[in-house]
Amino acid sequence: MSDDRWVPPTVLLAVDLVILTMRESRLQVLLVQRGVEPYRGDLALPGGFLNHVEEDLPAAAHRELAEEAGLSADQLHLEQLGVYGTPGRDPRGRVVSVAYLAIAPRLPEPTAGTDASDACWTSTDRALSAEARLAFDHRRIVADGVERARAKLEYSALATAFCGPTFTISELQDVYEAVWGVSLDPRNFYRKVQSVDGFIVPAGTTRRTDTGRPARLFRPGPREALHPPMTRPTGPADKETAKA
Amino acid sequence: MSDDRWVPPTVLLAVDLVILTMRESRLQVLLVQRGVEPYRGDLALPGGFLNHVEEDLPAAAHRELAEEAGLSADQLHLEQLGVYGTPGRDPRGRVVSVAYLAIAPRLPEPTAGTDASDACWTSTDRALSAEARLAFDHRRIVADGVERARAKLEYSALATAFCGPTFTISELQDVYEAVWGVSLDPRNFYRKVQSVDGFIVPAGTTRRTDTGRPARLFRPGPREALHPPMTRPTGPADKETAKA
DNA sequence: TCAATAGTGTCTTTTAGACAGTATTGA
DNA sequence: TCAATACTGTCTAAAAGACACTATTGA
């Protein structure tokens, strides 16, 4: 049991990012096409190995966020998602990857002119479908990230991270509908988000759209945990069926 | 930016366990006294380095569970808690630790006769208090584990993992009260857990106690997610104040 | 004017919370 | 019998869900 010569094994440490945003009223994830082996040509999450042995994990996540997506740390939610380290998941050796979940507000353009201009936004439905070819175990990581986002919309103010500095209530509702894949009653939604104290606070101004009455603008409130939580509709009433 | 000689750095990978159980109507965590440097003599979570470079992470967690606590995989909840890899957290080098959260039913005795007989159950209140000396960043890991358990009692059937194969409703209530640190109305609790379909199912038998009417026994039901969730009382009504 | 979106009010159903009261055991 | 715990019923307040209605814009 005890071998004096035994030394603990070392592993390669990588950081992978599930970057979610709202585009075209859909939940989308940033994927890059791999230019090198293994899985050359397949889609993968942005990420990479630690730069040096003393690099901090959140620092590495922010670095990849900047390098591969051109996103800065300001106004962006970042949290650890989990560790993926099954032996054999990477043919190059024992690679253990720390996955981070990032939520970004809608961005000007699909990250043109960045280091990784081969990055593209893909709807999570498509990324998780059978047709998409994802490298490594990245399909599972995306699925876990989406599931985390779904769950956190219920009991936290995470939804505001998908919006800009100010947003309308129907924008916020679009986030809930897209992430949950359901259709919500605008009137009850309006009442609900306003009644949860500290979730959103009025910004005082309004925003016009092409048509209809201008909507009041709101800012994220100080409240992080939602009590009582937003209730996710149960049963088979998903958005597609409901709108059909 | 691109140095042809650059190779990704390697790190040491460890697994640490937050093993929670109910003892004396309190939430307790298993801690071991370190026999070697660093932090020799301080309390620490059970855990250690990977045995070999191809060892799977859940396998390593189960191995430590058996070695350091004498617990087998049967009838024990195990989930990944997170990664703790701040540079400098371990003076021996860059050590990245994957923390697992284990929930065990009340056990016969405080793990006597095992490999690590210096293991002892400590109430989480005590482990998290200022007086306890915990090695590395294990105080934070314990805090995160307790917080995870608290949150999951709300929207999952995790509480049954603290109980044996069969249990009474008041046993289940004790779990909620100890983990949340609140006092709950037994009659409303009784109605509530029975109304959530598939949470617990009657086992058909009863169990006598020293005094009082025998209680019906229940088994964990098939439902993992609780809809609607158990509601954690808000405000300053904690168990200590309530019982004083 | 109409079409479209924003926002309010009101009713019904469900659920949480408080708590009186009955049931079944051991001493 | 009494003390102690298990369990049931009932009332009230709060919240969810359905949906009619008013408000404010551009065309």
Side-chain angles (χ1 to χ4, degrees), chain B residues 2 7 11-12 14 44 47 65 86 89 95 102 154-155 160 181 194 225 234 244:
Chain B
S2 62
V7 288
V11 302
L12 290 167
L65 218 37
T86 312
R89 66 184 285 274
V95 177
E154 292 193 57
Y155 54 87
T160 58
Q194 295 249 57
T234 170

Side-chain angles (χ1 to χ4, degrees), chain A residues 19-20 23 29 55 66-68 81 94 106 114 159 198 201 205 213 225-226 242:
Chain A
I19 311 173
L20 298 179
R23 295 180 62 82
V29 60
E55 190 177 30
E67 285 178 13
E68 302 223 48
L81 183 58
R94 184 72 196 270
R106 191 172 45 80
T114 63
V201 295
T205 49
R213 172 174 172 177
L226 267 31

Side-chain angles (χ1 to χ4, degrees), chain A residues 173-195:
Chain A
Q173 183 180 342
D174 285 345
V175 172
Y176 275 90
E177 292 189 330
V179 176
W180 282 351
V182 297
S183 186
L184 302 171
D185 184 301
R187 300 159 296 192
N188 291 336
F189 184 84
Y190 195 96
R191 248 191 318 115
K192 173 68 181 179
V193 294
Q194 295 250 57
S195 73

Side-chain angles (χ1 to χ4, degrees), chain B residues 160 164-167 198-205 217-222:
Chain B
T160 58
T166 61
F167 50 86
F199 183 8
I200 57 173
V201 295
T205 50
L217 285 170
F218 292 82
R219 246 188 286 278

Side-chain angles (χ1 to χ4, degrees), chain B residues 30-115:
Chain B
L30 192 72
L31 297 177
V32 298
Q33 195 159 20
R34 283 184 65 81
V36 296
E37 295 293 344
Y39 295 100
R40 182 176 191 142
D42 284 4
L43 293 170
L45 293 170
F49 293 112
L50 285 194
N51 249 355
H52 56 273
V53 77
E54 287 300 307
E55 190 178 28
D56 198 6
L57 290 171
H62 278 117
R63 177 177 52 77
E64 295 289 347
L65 218 37
E67 283 179 15
E68 303 223 48
L71 296 171
S72 72
D74 325 347
Q75 205 188 350
L76 177 115
H77 175 90
L78 186 70
E79 67 179 67
Q80 195 185 102
L81 183 58
V83 195
Y84 298 82
T86 312
R89 66 184 285 274
D90 191 319
R92 290 169 293 186
R94 184 69 196 271
V95 177
V96 171
S97 175
V98 181
Y100 278 84
L101 175 65
I103 310 287
R106 193 172 44 81
L107 297 156
E109 265 311 295
T111 59
T114 62
D115 191 26

Side-chain angles (χ1 to χ4, degrees), chain B residues 166-188:
Chain B
T166 61
F167 50 86
T168 68
I169 287 186
S170 55
E171 271 184 272
L172 195 61
Q173 183 180 342
D174 286 345
V175 172
Y176 275 90
E177 293 189 329
V179 176
W180 282 351
V182 296
S183 185
L184 301 171
D185 184 300
R187 300 160 297 195
N188 291 336

